[in-house]
Amino acid sequence: MRMSELSERSGVSVPSIKFYQREQLLHDGEHTSATQTSYDETHVERLRLVRALIEIGGLSVSSVRAVLAAVEADIPLDWAFGVAQHAIPRSMEFEPGDEGDRGVAEVEAIVTARNWTVAPDNPGRAMAARVIDSYVELGHEELLSVLPDYAEAASIIARVDLAAVGMSDTRAAMAETVVVGTVLGDALLAGLRRMAQESVSHHIYRKDQP
Amino acid sequence: MRMSELSERSGVSVPSIKFYQREQLLHDGEHTSATQTSYDETHVERLRLVRALIEIGGLSVSSVRAVLAAVEADIPLDWAFGVAQHAIPRSMEFEPGDEGDRGVAEVEAIVTARNWTVAPDNPGRAMAARVIDSYVELGHEELLSVLPDYAEAASIIARVDLAAVGMSDTRAAMAETVVVGTVLGDALLAGLRRMAQESVSHHIYRKDQP
């Protein structure tokens, strides 16, 4: 198919496709003449994946490149989780090391309480610690009361995440499931949380309203 | 205090403080002379909140403005949830209405199965539906198997979110807890999920590795 059909099938504009090609997120098409290039289903699939990771997952172009390289390299699955986990959306502007003592201590307490095996450089540690530091800094220590139940919810989620990965039959497919499920799954959870909040809030607070 | 001390105390650079003032995210200081302005603790607190919402929550400046207006207006609490929920990070580039039939149907099935009370315009519906559509479009239908357990985890999370809100003693404080906990809580959950994934993955897959 031509570029215009590729754009229509993938939902990605022609300028964006050209940008992704320059950024090496999309493999070349077949040159059928000096001015004509032909694309196939592999290009459609790749563009849909890139689009989802960027638009829904909020990944940067460089994070997408790292994640795709991991999927293609057919790396061990726990590495694939590591790569997907490090591809944190650019909207969270923090560097590991920014977290404070309180956040680090609270995170370590969770790990100990749940008997989790988590490497010191797991990016989730810094993410969670930074939020905990912010709760304290903003004068909302009451929000720390959510930690045990959030950790329980995270365990439920992780077990089903891993079970879903086990349903694929090749390592490459499993690695792609890891990446898609980890990156897009955050948005899915955020959506379900908002729905559940409204439902619980409705039952608790609506009776106070006029 | 002067601008330089305000910057140091809040962790926000002087150019950013001036930008936030222009964008009306920060109230004016007191003019103590023609060239001197004095700031107080309310300015430090406000800047820390703005910084957390932008850097950790990933909100845009206009979303922060909407969220702060909601906190200050002392609105009913279920409205505060609505405002916080609509302040979806700009990294998720989607509009309500983008979601497809499959995503909408799966979301409705969750609402029915859990007997949730969720308005049609709850932004979580569109977020969840878009991710579900992407799972299907990307050929990862196996990821739909996570939905019942994710919904259960979301219920656990929402109940403890609401319980934390109930610990504040004024409506304004409760509204701020709603905003901070909803926006930053997504990052906290994402962090804990990554930690739990590593731990579960370690126990399942590590034995396959050399």
Side-chain angles (χ1 to χ4, degrees):
Chain A
M1 71 191 82
R2 299 207 188 164
M3 174 76 85
S4 57
E5 189 184 343
L6 178 61
S7 169
E8 200 173 306
R9 292 275 316 279
S10 62
V12 178
S13 70
V14 170
S16 292
I17 292 175
K18 290 181 175 170
F19 172 68
Y20 295 155
Q21 284 181 317
R22 281 198 304 276
E23 293 288 333
Q24 302 175 340
L25 302 186
L26 182 69
H27 46 295
D28 288 337
E30 191 187 346
H31 291 281
T32 51
S33 77
T35 57
Q36 199 73 257
T37 308
S38 174
Y39 301 92
D40 60 25
E41 288 304 315
T42 64
H43 295 90
V44 176
E45 284 173 19
R46 169 53 62 98
L47 279 175
R48 285 178 176 166
L49 178 58
V50 168
R51 180 176 165 229
L53 293 174
I54 289 177
E55 292 187 5
I56 303 176
L59 295 200
S60 65
V61 164
S62 60
S63 293
V64 172
R65 193 185 300 115
V67 153
L68 294 176
V71 170
E72 286 167 357
D74 203 15
I75 57 176
L77 276 182
D78 53 345
W79 291 13
F81 268 106
V83 172
Q85 292 182 344
H86 277 91
I88 293 165
R90 64 203 143 165
S91 62
M92 287 174 216
E93 300 164 9
F94 70 87
E95 297 293 326
D98 277 2
E99 63 272 26
D101 294 341
R102 177 68 182 272
V104 169
E106 295 283 351
V107 167
E108 197 53 46
I110 295 167
V111 170
T112 303
R114 298 209 64 95
N115 199 23
W116 279 347
T117 305
V118 187
D121 67 341
N122 183 302
R125 283 181 181 266
M127 291 174 78
R130 269 301 299 276
V131 175
I132 291 167
D133 287 335
S134 285
Y135 283 170
V136 174
E137 194 182 71
L138 297 172
H140 286 283
E141 290 221 23
E142 81 278 10
L143 281 167
L144 300 186
S145 65
V146 306
L147 290 174
D149 289 293
Y150 273 33
E152 168 63 18
S155 285
I156 293 172
I157 292 160
R159 277 195 296 269
V160 67
D161 283 343
L162 271 289
V165 170
M167 292 176 192
S168 297
D169 40 12
T170 66
R171 278 227 158 195
M174 288 166 94
E176 193 179 287
T177 302
V178 167
V179 165
V180 171
T182 299
V183 174
L184 272 60
D186 283 343
L188 176 55
L189 279 166
L192 293 172
R193 179 180 175 223
R194 277 154 182 70
M195 293 164 63
Q197 280 182 338
E198 179 182 329
S199 188
V200 177
S201 169
H202 181 85
H203 293 294
I204 295 179
Y205 291 107
R206 182 54 62 131
K207 57 182 178 291
D208 296 350
Q209 309 305 324
Chain B
M1 72 190 83
R2 299 207 189 164
M3 174 76 85
S4 57
E5 188 183 344
L6 178 61
S7 170
E8 200 174 306
R9 292 273 317 278
S10 62
V12 178
S13 70
V14 170
S16 291
I17 292 175
K18 290 181 176 170
F19 171 70
Y20 295 154
Q21 283 180 317
R22 280 198 304 278
E23 293 288 333
Q24 302 173 341
L25 303 185
L26 183 69
H27 46 295
D28 288 336
E30 191 187 347
H31 292 281
T32 50
S33 77
T35 58
Q36 200 73 257
T37 308
S38 174
Y39 301 92
D40 60 27
E41 287 305 314
T42 64
H43 295 90
V44 175
E45 283 172 21
R46 170 53 63 96
L47 280 174
R48 285 177 175 166
L49 178 57
V50 169
R51 179 176 166 230
L53 294 174
I54 289 177
E55 292 187 5
I56 302 176
L59 295 200
S60 65
V61 165
S62 60
S63 293
V64 171
R65 192 185 301 115
V67 152
L68 294 176
V71 170
E72 287 168 357
D74 202 15
I75 57 176
L77 276 182
D78 54 345
W79 290 13
F81 268 106
V83 172
Q85 292 182 344
H86 277 91
I88 293 165
R90 65 204 143 167
S91 62
M92 288 174 215
E93 301 164 9
F94 71 87
E95 298 293 325
D98 278 3
E99 63 272 26
D101 293 341
R102 177 68 182 270
V104 169
E106 294 284 351
V107 167
E108 197 51 47
I110 295 167
V111 170
T112 304
R114 299 209 63 96
N115 200 22
W116 279 346
T117 306
V118 187
D121 67 341
N122 182 302
R125 284 182 181 266
M127 292 174 78
R130 270 300 300 276
V131 174
I132 291 167
D133 287 334
S134 286
Y135 284 171
V136 174
E137 194 182 71
L138 297 172
H140 286 282
E141 289 221 22
E142 80 279 9
L143 280 167
L144 300 186
S145 66
V146 306
L147 290 174
D149 289 293
Y150 273 33
E152 168 64 19
S155 285
I156 293 172
I157 291 159
R159 277 195 296 269
V160 67
D161 283 343
L162 271 289
V165 170
M167 291 177 193
S168 297
D169 41 12
T170 67
R171 280 232 154 188
M174 288 168 94
E176 192 179 288
T177 302
V178 168
V179 165
V180 170
T182 299
V183 175
L184 272 60
D186 282 343
L188 177 55
L189 279 167
L192 293 171
R193 179 181 175 221
R194 277 154 182 70
M195 294 164 63
Q197 279 182 338
E198 179 181 329
S199 187
V200 177
S201 169
H202 181 85
H203 293 293
I204 296 180
Y205 291 106
R206 182 54 60 132
K207 55 182 178 292
D208 297 349
Q209 310 304 325

